[in-house]
Amino acid sequence: MCGIVGAVAQRNIVSVLLEGLRRLEYRGYDSCGVAVLGEEGPRRARSVARVTDLDEQVRESHLDGITGIAHTRWATHGAPVTDNAHPIFSKDELALVHNGIIENYESLREMLRDKGYTFVSQTDTEVIAHLVHSLYNGDLFATVREAIGQLHGAYAIAVLHKNQPHTVVGARQGSPLVVGIGNGENFLASDALALAGSTERFIFLEEGDVCELSLDGVKISDRDGYDAQREVRQVAAYGGAVELGPYRHFMQKEIFEQPRAITDTIPQADSFDPSIFGDDAQTVFGEIDNLLILACGTSSYAALTAKYWLESIAKIPTQVEIASEYRYRESVPNPKSLVVVVSQSGETADTLAALKHAQSLGHKHTLAVCNVGTSAMVRQTELSFLTHAGREIGVASTKAFTTQLVALFVLAATLAKLRGHLSAGQEADYVKQLRHLPAALNSVLALEPQIIAWSEEFSRKEHALFLGRGLHYPIALEGALKLKEISYIQAEAYPAGELKHGPLALVTEAMPVVTVAPNDALLEKLKSNIQEVRARGGQLYVFADADTKIVNDEGLHVIRMPEHYGLLSPILHVVPLQLLAYHTACARGTDVDKPRNLAKSVTVE
Ligand code: F6R
């Protein structure tokens, strides 16, 4: 997704800007660009290839300067062509980069055309550039403040003007933006990660903030235009670039990192203590009588799995909603709800907006399950649980998902205990199972060679069905999502009992049917569903717990999982599905870590 980097320094900052873009590359983008201020005004280089190509252009054109902005673009308005790449100029005097979407750009464009501005791109960004230019009064900070009053939508911007050679102005509303504080130099970025090489001191701007970076300081005003003091946070954890090591792709590496990520995420204590969610958690948990979980994509499947846990262990009614639906739906607020947002990045625009919507409806109790401690979601919720997956580079989420499951299981067990539904013996059992989980995961990862053998077959297919039941239905959904995201094979998931109500019509010899088969209370029902597929000549690919006694037969291909792992079984069963998607995509030769059209952190609606 789009990324912003900006800098004001007493040295040539082009390498800082390009390094920042490199650090944001993994999020997905289709063009990139950089602009610096020279005596004649801004100069720029733009590319519809990778940042390395931009780097070459910069060298060839000797682009250098001490004030600059840079961008990676993920196209929303207008194709990924050079004219639409940022920085966007206005009258060769002002340069601007933008993340997000401006909803009223058409009316603004008409107004600016009437004022004599010519549009050379199809972007909504160009209206912001011309708008700021048209209002410029010698003070870029004040002008940007005035201009954003006319914008509707979500945005983070960085802008520079020829007349202020040592100034970069930024503003945010709905998209993240952080200021990096250096010594005699200051930076701006859409993610602190972009500035990891330059500073460890950050200000996370708040909604409606406008900032001005100069050589000797940073000025910030809040949404009402008043001077604002924002906390400077020391964030050292961003470290250097993540290495691929012996793996072929980051996705493979991240699948194999799951035992470590889960070990780091499981709370240290040998009991379920609410304080892990925040100091006020015990009080908050005592005031709620239901949960509303909001999330998107893979995170929403973690939430769906959690619904089964929360209702069966903690006996607490739980509703899961896709964030992008919830935010626009008329719903009935319940002040006794705990609103939980689940997000790897903590910056997903739809989930953030859904959180705000829930708060605006009067929900005061909120909790974030998130992998990024400094993210907007963690900052905007009352309670939080941080997963410790580490940075996830592959666009398709893997270790973030399984660590979210761990976090949500801990939430279910904690609520069960507080509500009197967890005996001391059960508590000890759950803690023991959590502690043993990394070892159990290692035994599942050891199945990789068998999964590679299946993936050859899958790589020649164009469609696949995934089946699961109960607690494992969301795992089937996640398996299908992984396969479609990275191999581009159309894959659908159904609760196995639903097969005969429609999707069975799709089953032929050409349709592989992947089945998640744990040895749980629904096993006998699932076996009947398997027979329904076999009777129609379908080819079943079953991940069966060792104790299910499901074995290879005609039309029935089985990979034996370890013995059934009780309520935590979904965390084991998703791993072979991740590996199947991964190796199928490799066999098809797709760009596994950066699948087409997708971005890592979806910061636009
Ligand atoms: C799929 C995937 C996405 C994300 C979704 C939400 O592999 O990664 O479906 O899960 O975009 O992202 P977060 O969790 O960052 O809110």
Side-chain angles (χ1 to χ4, degrees):
M1 195 115 296
C2 301
I4 289 176
V5 192
V8 182
Q10 274 154 331
R11 56 181 170 132
N12 178 14
I13 39 68
V14 171
S15 60
V16 170
L17 298 174
L18 291 176
E19 176 58 22
L21 293 189
R22 259 182 225 110
R23 286 174 184 271
L24 296 177
E25 268 194 301
Y26 77 96
R27 293 176 164 225
Y29 65 105
D30 38 44
S31 59
C32 49
V34 56
V36 289
L37 269 181
E39 277 173 19
E40 307 293 306
R43 290 174 60 216
R44 71 184 160 191
R46 296 184 290 177
S47 167
V48 287
R50 314 307 290 172
V51 175
T52 40
D53 175 67
L54 184 68
D55 197 346
E56 268 171 38
Q57 282 191 47
V58 162
R59 282 169 212 275
E60 278 165 18
S61 59
H62 303 291
L63 195 75
D64 55 29
I66 61 170
T67 304
I69 52 179
H71 193 255
T72 47
R73 174 172 187 257
W74 186 79
T76 56
H77 294 62
V81 295
T82 308
D83 277 348
N84 292 334
H86 305 196
I88 297 280
F89 280 7
S90 180
K91 306 253 184 200
D92 287 335
E93 291 182 338
L94 174 148
L96 183 139
V97 292
H98 161 226
N99 290 356
I101 291 175
I102 302 303
E103 284 161 10
N104 58 334
Y105 78 102
E106 278 166 335
S107 56
L108 287 172
R109 192 168 51 192
E110 289 320 304
M111 182 271 283
L112 289 158
R113 272 194 181 128
D114 291 346
K115 285 190 174 177
Y117 285 92
T118 307
F119 283 79
V120 293
S121 78
Q122 286 86 49
T123 64
D124 50 346
T125 304
E126 195 170 1
V127 298
I128 320 177
H130 293 325
L131 180 65
V132 176
H133 186 272
S134 71
L135 297 171
Y136 185 68
N137 58 6
D139 179 348
L140 193 57
F141 183 68
T143 307
V144 167
R145 167 139 302 295
E146 187 185 345
I148 62 171
Q150 297 185 38
L151 302 179
H152 299 166
Y155 53 81
I157 59 171
V159 50
L160 38 86
H161 194 286
K162 175 184 173 202
N163 293 355
Q164 291 178 246
H166 301 126
T167 304
V168 172
V169 172
R172 71 156 289 200
Q173 178 66 48
S175 286
L177 200 61
V178 338
V179 173
I181 313 283
N183 291 327
E185 52 188 24
N186 291 300
F187 311 95
L188 195 62
S190 50
D191 186 329
L193 175 70
L195 303 175
S198 304
T199 182
E200 292 184 347
R201 293 194 301 140
F202 296 99
I203 294 172
F204 294 86
L205 294 177
E206 302 199 355
E207 293 288 56
D209 279 358
V210 177
C211 67
E212 180 188 84
L213 271 57
S214 56
L215 287 172
D216 50 8
V218 175
K219 182 163 90 180
I220 299 172
S221 70
D222 67 13
R223 64 167 78 235
D224 299 316
Y226 295 114
D227 287 352
Q229 296 301 321
R230 302 276 178 239
E231 187 191 346
V232 179
R233 300 213 212 170
Q234 188 79 23
V235 183
Y238 290 100
V242 177
E243 302 295 335
L244 198 48
Y247 298 97
R248 225 174 124 188
H249 296 96
F250 282 106
M251 181 175 176
Q252 187 188 26
K253 176 175 186 251
E254 287 156 6
I255 291 172
F256 278 84
E257 273 175 358
Q258 291 179 106
R260 192 277 309 147
I262 284 176
T263 306
D264 292 352
T265 300
I266 295 169
Q268 305 268 308
D270 281 334
S271 61
F272 296 105
D273 185 340
S275 64
I276 193 99
F277 296 92
D279 294 343
D280 298 334
Q282 174 125 12
T283 316
V284 171
F285 289 169
E287 287 175 12
I288 57 151
D289 67 7
N290 74 92
L291 268 77
L292 168 62
I293 316 187
L294 306 169
C296 303
T298 287
S299 297
S300 76
Y301 298 147
L304 271 183
T305 313
K307 175 182 164 76
Y308 287 85
W309 286 330
L310 286 155
E311 297 208 338
S312 71
I313 318 176
K315 316 278 177 229
I316 186 159
T318 302
Q319 195 185 332
V320 176
E321 291 226 28
I322 301 289
S324 55
E325 288 293 313
Y326 172 76
R327 61 183 289 197
Y328 292 118
R329 183 172 85 74
E330 276 189 33
S331 55
V332 183
N334 179 345
K336 291 200 150 194
S337 298
L338 174 65
V339 176
V340 182
V341 282
V342 183
S343 174
Q344 184 279 126
S345 60
E347 302 289 354
T348 301
D350 285 321
T351 312
L352 264 178
L355 170 65
K356 275 186 216 155
H357 179 64
Q359 286 166 328
S360 74
L361 293 178
H363 290 112
K364 65 174 175 151
H365 293 317
T366 54
L367 162 72
V369 171
C370 190
N371 197 37
V372 182
T374 51
S375 63
M377 254 174 249
V378 173
R379 284 181 278 126
Q380 287 165 30
T381 44
E382 189 181 24
L383 306 174
S384 60
F385 183 108
L386 293 186
T387 52
H388 294 284
R391 196 178 343 147
E392 196 177 60
I393 305 278
V395 162
S397 188
T398 52
K399 60 178 181 169
F401 177 68
T402 45
T403 53
Q404 284 169 348
L405 288 175
V406 167
L408 291 164
F409 183 83
V410 171
L411 176 64
T414 308
L415 288 171
K417 187 175 170 185
L418 284 177
R419 294 163 66 85
H421 298 300
L422 192 69
S423 68
Q426 274 171 327
E427 180 172 17
D429 273 357
Y430 288 163
V431 170
K432 199 166 136 201
Q433 281 176 32
L434 278 169
R435 298 247 180 278
H436 181 66
L437 198 51
L441 275 169
N442 276 322
S443 60
V444 177
L445 289 167
L447 299 173
E448 189 180 35
Q450 292 176 57
I451 297 167
I452 293 175
W454 279 11
S455 64
E456 286 299 321
E457 189 102 347
F458 271 75
S459 66
R460 292 189 287 275
K461 305 283 180 189
E462 286 309 323
H463 311 278
L465 278 181
F466 284 67
L467 302 179
R469 292 197 75 133
L471 194 51
H472 294 78
Y473 165 52
I475 298 307
L477 285 166
E478 172 61 2
L481 180 65
K482 289 289 91 97
L483 190 68
K484 60 188 143 191
E485 273 183 299
I486 58 169
S487 74
Y488 315 145
I489 292 173
Q490 188 218 349
E492 301 303 331
Y494 288 92
E498 191 63 11
L499 200 58
K500 56 190 174 297
H501 297 291
L504 201 54
L506 296 172
V507 172
T508 65
E509 267 184 32
M511 174 71 87
V513 182
V514 181
T515 309
V516 185
N519 186 15
D520 63 9
L522 290 167
L523 178 64
E524 290 312 314
K525 305 278 173 213
L526 185 79
K527 282 183 175 168
S528 306
N529 304 136
I530 288 176
Q531 293 313 329
E532 288 163 11
V533 174
R534 285 185 77 194
R536 272 97 193 158
Q539 293 294 308
L540 282 139
Y541 293 83
V542 184
F543 292 99
D545 284 354
D547 41 0
T548 58
K549 313 230 168 16
I550 301 176
V551 290
N552 283 315
D553 204 341
E554 205 187 320
L556 184 61
H557 315 271
V558 181
I559 288 184
R560 260 167 72 103
M561 298 279 289
E563 293 208 341
H564 186 53
Y565 209 75
L567 282 175
L568 291 169
S569 164
I571 303 180
L572 294 191
H573 266 280
V574 75
V575 174
L577 303 186
Q578 297 168 343
L579 285 168
L580 181 64
Y582 171 71
H583 286 292
T584 304
C586 288
R588 286 166 74 99
T590 62
D591 189 352
V592 173
D593 285 333
K594 297 190 184 83
R596 72 181 176 211
N597 306 340
L598 299 181
K600 184 66 191 159
S601 177
V602 187
T603 49
V604 293
E605 190 181 334

